[in-house]
Amino acid sequence: MEASTFKLKTAQITGGRSHTPLAKTDHMTIGLNYYAPGRKNKLHTHPGEDHMFVVMDGQATFYNKEHQGTVLNKGEGIMLPEHHYYYFQSTGDKPLALFRVSAKKSKPKVLRVDAEGNQRTEEENEFVVVDGKAIEGRFWQLT
């Protein structure tokens, strides 16, 4: 496998969230998540995976399974060990750009499990927008 480079850049969106894969190896994935203000995800965990987030722009509040919040601002991050249940919300007044790195011990059969037991078994290997759409010609990038 060869070295790869990437740029912290993603399309601006009309609402919802997006995920932009940036780089990948057999044991690690790197991506950029982008969330509209107020958008949150569900309580979930990632079996077989440690991962971390760094706020590149905006503000995020990460919650544990007891719903205790930790506010992260630009330049701050969080490390989430395997099996740690969490969810987060874009709590600032502008979109949230989150740099995400995940490290896998092996190739887990299940990548994500929410509190209701719903499972995701496929990685988001392509750019995806949920509950919104990309704004043509408009981008967020680290400056």
Side-chain angles (χ1 to χ4, degrees):
M1 178 172 272
E2 295 293 318
S4 61
T5 62
F6 55 87
K7 188 172 190 172
L8 296 179
K9 179 179 179 179
T10 190
Q12 292 183 4
I13 55 177
T14 59
R17 74 163 182 95
S18 69
H19 174 73
T20 303
L22 299 173
K24 179 180 177 180
T25 67
D26 290 340
H27 302 286
M28 184 179 287
T29 59
I30 300 171
L32 185 61
N33 293 346
Y34 195 70
Y35 278 65
R39 175 66 183 217
K40 65 180 174 180
N41 59 12
K42 295 171 70 172
L43 181 66
H44 67 282
T45 188
H46 298 272
E49 176 182 319
D50 296 333
H51 58 288
M52 55 71 73
F53 292 95
V54 176
V55 175
M56 307 308 290
D57 206 4
Q59 181 186 72
T61 301
F62 280 78
Y63 299 91
N64 62 19
K65 63 183 172 183
E66 288 82 28
H67 310 288
Q68 297 165 319
T70 300
V71 176
L72 299 177
N73 292 297
K74 187 174 182 176
E76 297 177 327
I78 189 168
M79 173 66 75
L80 301 165
E82 176 185 18
H83 299 299
H84 180 83
Y85 273 88
Y86 75 98
Y87 64 100
F88 64 86
Q89 182 172 12
S90 174
T91 50
D93 57 359
K94 62 182 181 176
L96 169 65
L98 275 177
F99 182 65
R100 182 186 193 277
V101 177
S102 66
K104 300 175 180 100
K105 295 177 185 175
S106 61
K107 185 158 176 97
K109 293 177 185 171
V110 176
L111 299 174
R112 176 181 161 138
V113 179
D114 68 23
E116 289 83 40
N118 299 311
Q119 300 179 352
R120 183 171 65 193
T121 58
E122 299 295 322
E123 289 189 62
E124 290 180 333
N125 290 321
E126 304 287 329
F127 174 73
V128 62
V129 178
V130 177
D131 297 332
K133 63 181 184 176
I135 301 172
E136 189 173 333
R138 294 189 53 196
F139 299 92
W140 176 91
Q141 63 184 341
L142 184 62
T143 54

